[in-house]
C-alpha cells in the first residue's frame, strides 16, 4: 500500500503539476484542492470508522419504533445535513478563490496578450508592440497579464497548470484569463480540450522573464 501511494504522489510534481504552483492563481487552485482533499479525507475516515463499527459491534435488540427512528436519523444526517455542510464549506472556500482569479479592473491596465488556438499550434500576438510568436508565450514575471484567447477552428483549451486554471478557446468568441508568474522561469502549457489527432502534441512553451529581459525580447521581436 505505501509503495502504491508513493507511486501516485509522483504525479503531484513536474512541469504540468497544478499542485506545484508558481503564481497567485495557481496557488489559490492548489489551496482549494488541498482543502478539498483534507475535508474529504476526514469524511472518508469517519465513514470507514462507522462501517467498521457497524461490522464489529454486537447487535442490540431494537423495537420497531426505535429502528424507524434510527433509520430516519441516518437518512437526515447522512442524506441531508452532511451534504449541506459539505456544499456550504466548498462554496465558502471556492467563491472567494474563484473571484480572485477573475480579470478584474486594476489601477494600471495589465499587459494584453492574444492567443489563438489552431489545429494544432498556438499563435501568440502582442497587440501593443506587434510582436508575434508561435508555440511560445513570453511574459514578465511579477505582474498580472491578461490572456485573450480564441480559436480559429475547433474548441481548444488554454492551460498552464503552474500559473493558472484553464479556459476554453471558442471560435468567434474571446475569453480572458489573468495569469501571473511569481518569478522568472520556464513552464509548460497544454491544450486541455481534445481537438483532433494532433491534440497530444499541442504544447506551449511559456517563459517568464524579468521586466528588463521581457522588454528586450519585445523589442527584438516586434513587427516581425
Amino acid at each position: 500500500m505505501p509503495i502504491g501511494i508513493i507511486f501516485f504522489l509522483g504525479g503531484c510534481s513536474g512541469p504540468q503539476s497544478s499542485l506545484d504552483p508558481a503564481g497567485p492563481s495557481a496557488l489559490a487552485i492548489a489551496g482549494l484542492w488541498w482543502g478539498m482533499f483534507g475535508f474529504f479525507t476526514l469524511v472518508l475516515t469517519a465513514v470507514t470508522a462507522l462501517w467498521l463499527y457497524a461490522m464489529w459491534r454486537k447487535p442490540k435488540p431494537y423495537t420497531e419504533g426505535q429502528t424507524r427512528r434510527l433509520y430516519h436519523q441516518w437518512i437526515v444526517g447522512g442524506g441531508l445535513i452532511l451534504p449541506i455542510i459539505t456544499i456550504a464549506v466548498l462554496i465558502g472556500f471556492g467563491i472567494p478563490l474563484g473571484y480572485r482569479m477573475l480579470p478584474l479592473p486594476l489601477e494600471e491596465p495589465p499587459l494584453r496578450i492574444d492567443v489563438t488556438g489552431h489545429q494544432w499550434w498556438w499563435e501568440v500576438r502582442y497587440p501593443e508592440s506587434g510582436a508575434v510568436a508561435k508555440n511560445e508565450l513570453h511574459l514578465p514575471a511579477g505582474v498580472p497579464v491578461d490572456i485573450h484567447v480564441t480559436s480559429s477552428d475547433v474548441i481548444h483549451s488554454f492551460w498552464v497548470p503552474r500559473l493558472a486554471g484553464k479556459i476554453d478557446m471558442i471560435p468567434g468568441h474571446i475569453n480572458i484569463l489573468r495569469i501571473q508568474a511569481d518569478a522568472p522561469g520556464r513552464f509548460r502549457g497544454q491544450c486541455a480540450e481534445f481537438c483532433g489527432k494532433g491534440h497530444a502534441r499541442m504544447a506551449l512553451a511559456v517563459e517568464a522573464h524579468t521586466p528588463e529581459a521581457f522588454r528586450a525580447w519585445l523589442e527584438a521581436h516586434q513587427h516581425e
Side-chain angles (χ1 to χ4, degrees), residues 51-179:
W51 174 70
L52 292 175
Y53 172 75
M55 294 291 291
W56 293 341
R57 73 181 181 89
K58 294 182 179 180
K60 297 179 181 180
Y62 289 105
T63 65
E64 183 177 348
Q66 290 175 325
T67 301
R68 187 180 298 109
R69 284 194 299 272
L70 187 62
Y71 284 165
H72 288 167
Q73 289 172 359
W74 281 107
I75 291 174
V76 172
L80 291 177
I81 296 177
L82 180 60
I84 290 174
I85 293 176
T86 301
I87 293 173
V89 170
L90 290 178
I91 291 176
F93 278 99
I95 290 180
L97 291 177
Y99 185 80
R100 287 166 50 189
M101 292 185 280
L102 294 176
L104 301 174
L106 301 174
E107 293 183 3
E108 183 177 344
L111 172 69
R112 171 175 172 169
I113 302 177
D114 295 340
V115 179
T116 303
H118 300 265
Q119 290 181 307
W120 290 273
W121 59 282
W122 307 88
E123 177 186 352
V124 182
R125 294 183 174 272
Y126 298 78
E128 296 178 5
S129 66
V132 181
K134 179 179 180 179
N135 290 334
E136 57 183 52
L137 172 65
H138 297 261
L139 64 155
V143 296
V145 177
D146 280 357
I147 308 295
H148 292 237
V149 302
T150 189
S151 172
S152 66
D153 35 56
V154 299
I155 295 178
H156 300 280
S157 185
F158 180 91
W159 190 31
V160 185
R162 295 191 62 205
L163 296 183
K166 63 184 72 171
I167 193 167
D168 283 343
M169 311 173 76
I170 302 171
H173 180 77
I174 294 177
N175 285 327
I176 303 175
L177 177 69
R178 180 163 294 166
I179 66 175

